[in-house]
Amino acid sequence: NNNLSTADTISSSSPVTGQLSSISDNDYFALNVAAAGIISLEFDSPTNSDTRNYFSVSILDSSGNVLSSERSGQDITLSAAVAESGTYYAAVSDSTWYSGENYQITFTANQNSIDGYETEANNNLSTADTISSSSPVTGQLSSTLDNDYFALNVAEIGRAHV
């Protein structure tokens, strides 16, 4: 399961145990999502370090674009709002440090409204998420290279406070 095409298919909310067999190993897991909503990835790390990043954990879309990602040496939970059904992926790889111990992931799809959540890829003006006035939006930068764009339609001239 070293790439998207050979990813192990897993069921929503069912824990799966994995292990990085070497420093260059990558593990991919596929989750079929039936409708728009919030997907979350719980990563149960075998290490408990807040200073050493043993794992890089990501949620990817069907093209391999990063929707959410974090490097960590301890348990983490990632989430991403997805606007459509399809196959999404969890990716686990080595980070700064290496651990060959077993980890556990739980990938969950919730068919909730994505109103108020930022969706990827909204990395430029043409793919900006449309937001409503006075409605908070929860977003996250998926990497150090990510830029998030938002569009607000206004009916008349005035001031906008962000």
Side-chain angles (χ1 to χ4, degrees):
N1 63 340
N2 287 331
N3 56 52
L4 295 181
S5 63
T6 60
D8 292 335
T9 300
I10 60 176
S11 299
S12 182
S13 302
S14 297
V16 174
T17 300
Q19 177 190 37
L20 296 178
S21 61
S22 71
I23 204 166
S24 60
D25 188 19
N26 297 304
D27 290 345
Y28 290 86
F29 303 91
L31 179 65
N32 295 313
V33 175
I38 307 299
I39 54 177
S40 63
L41 175 60
E42 293 177 34
F43 180 77
D44 184 9
S45 177
T47 60
N48 188 21
S49 175
D50 58 356
T51 59
R52 292 188 176 171
N53 296 329
Y54 287 91
F55 298 93
S56 178
V57 182
S58 303
I59 299 174
L60 311 172
D61 67 13
S62 60
S63 299
N65 298 312
V66 175
L67 304 180
S68 183
S69 185
E70 190 170 333
R71 293 173 187 228
S72 183
Q74 52 194 352
D75 298 352
I76 55 172
T77 300
L78 304 176
S79 63
V82 295
E84 56 191 32
S85 64
T87 303
Y88 294 87
Y89 297 89
V92 180
S93 62
D94 174 58
S95 187
T96 310
W97 299 87
Y98 171 71
S99 172
E101 297 178 72
N102 289 345
Y103 61 82
Q104 189 173 70
I105 64 165
T106 305
F107 209 8
T108 305
N110 293 308
Q111 296 174 7
N112 299 328
S113 171
I114 61 171
D115 290 344
Y117 288 91
E118 173 251 347
T119 60
E120 294 291 345
N122 61 334
N123 299 329
N124 57 53
L125 292 176
S126 65
T127 59
D129 284 342
T130 301
I131 59 174
S132 301
S133 179
S134 300
S135 297
V137 175
T138 299
Q140 63 187 354
L141 296 175
S142 62
S143 74
T144 57
L145 301 175
D146 188 20
N147 294 303
D148 290 340
Y149 285 75
F150 300 92
L152 175 64
N153 295 316
V154 294
E156 58 188 57
I157 296 174
R159 290 187 177 181
H161 300 274
V162 179

